[in-house]
Amino acid sequence: GTPKVDVAIYHHSYYETIDFWGPEKIFTTESLEQNGYSYDFVDPATLSLSNMTVTDGILDAEGTAYKALILKDETDLPSETVVLLNQYAENGLKIVFIGETASERSYLNDEDITDGMQTLLANENTTVIEDIDEIAETLKDMGVIPDASYENETLLANHRSADGMDYYFLYNYGN
């Protein structure tokens, strides 16, 4: 079936540092999983796909159906991505910035993103928080509720949809 994922996490590139001490993770909180949220990672190329439009506040409504988009410490963004993010927010997608927000364009030939970022950050569907561990509470405050809800903090949820049926897989990664 089609995967259904609560939240998309934007990351401009997927370079992870892996050395003798282990990997440097690109998203470092268990707050989402512990509160029932499932998530995927997206990048500028993903957002430029034809199916990545917002309908009734849902990104890729006929597909993965993201309810929110998270950007963490993205200090630069492609100007095309800023345009898309503004369209998404205008169409109701909830967008959360964690930590720093972009103030620079990603590429030398890009247009300046200052005005686009100001518009985006002023949108009622956009929120900026400082602490990554506030993300689950922030999403709930914005009306973004996970597809799966449970009290056991050691479960991971996976939601798929096929032939008009919803399937939920819960994985116990603890005790």
Side-chain angles (χ1 to χ4, degrees):
T2 303
K4 300 295 180 184
V5 181
D6 297 311
V7 178
I9 299 171
Y10 176 92
H11 204 269
H12 184 72
S13 64
Y14 288 94
Y15 175 78
E16 275 192 324
T17 303
I18 301 175
D19 61 17
F20 181 75
W21 303 107
E24 181 182 320
K25 302 289 185 187
I26 57 178
F27 196 74
T28 56
T29 185
E30 292 181 1
S31 178
L32 291 175
E33 299 101 322
Q34 291 174 350
N35 286 280
Y37 292 95
S38 57
Y39 62 89
D40 266 343
F41 292 96
V42 297
D43 61 11
T46 305
L47 296 181
S48 69
L49 295 172
S50 62
N51 60 307
M52 297 302 273
T53 59
V54 175
T55 305
D56 297 326
I58 304 296
L59 178 61
D60 187 21
E62 296 299 316
T64 311
Y66 300 113
K67 301 174 201 167
L69 179 65
I70 298 170
L71 296 91
K72 182 183 179 299
D73 294 323
E74 294 288 337
T75 57
D76 61 88
L77 288 171
S79 58
E80 289 180 11
T81 300
V82 174
V83 169
L84 287 172
L85 294 178
N86 272 292
Q87 290 171 2
Y88 295 166
E90 283 299 315
N91 289 315
L93 183 69
K94 305 302 183 193
I95 299 175
V96 180
F97 287 89
I98 302 171
E100 291 187 64
T101 59
S103 59
E104 299 291 329
R105 59 189 179 190
S106 293
Y107 308 112
L108 181 61
N109 294 333
D110 272 357
E111 294 180 23
D112 184 68
I113 65 167
T114 304
D115 291 341
M117 283 301 299
Q118 287 176 348
T119 301
L120 178 61
L121 294 172
N123 189 294
E124 66 183 349
N125 291 314
T126 302
T127 299
V128 179
I129 61 174
E130 291 301 317
D131 186 357
I132 192 170
D133 291 325
E134 297 172 14
I135 188 61
E137 195 62 38
T138 299
L139 289 170
K140 287 177 186 172
D141 289 346
M142 295 176 83
V144 178
I145 306 302
D147 286 344
S149 182
Y150 42 80
E151 292 182 17
N152 183 336
E153 294 181 352
T154 60
L155 293 178
L156 297 175
N158 185 327
H159 176 196
R160 298 186 77 80
S161 179
D163 301 323
M165 299 288 293
D166 288 307
Y167 300 93
Y168 294 88
F169 301 92
L170 299 176
Y171 299 94
N172 182 355
Y173 71 93
N175 305 331

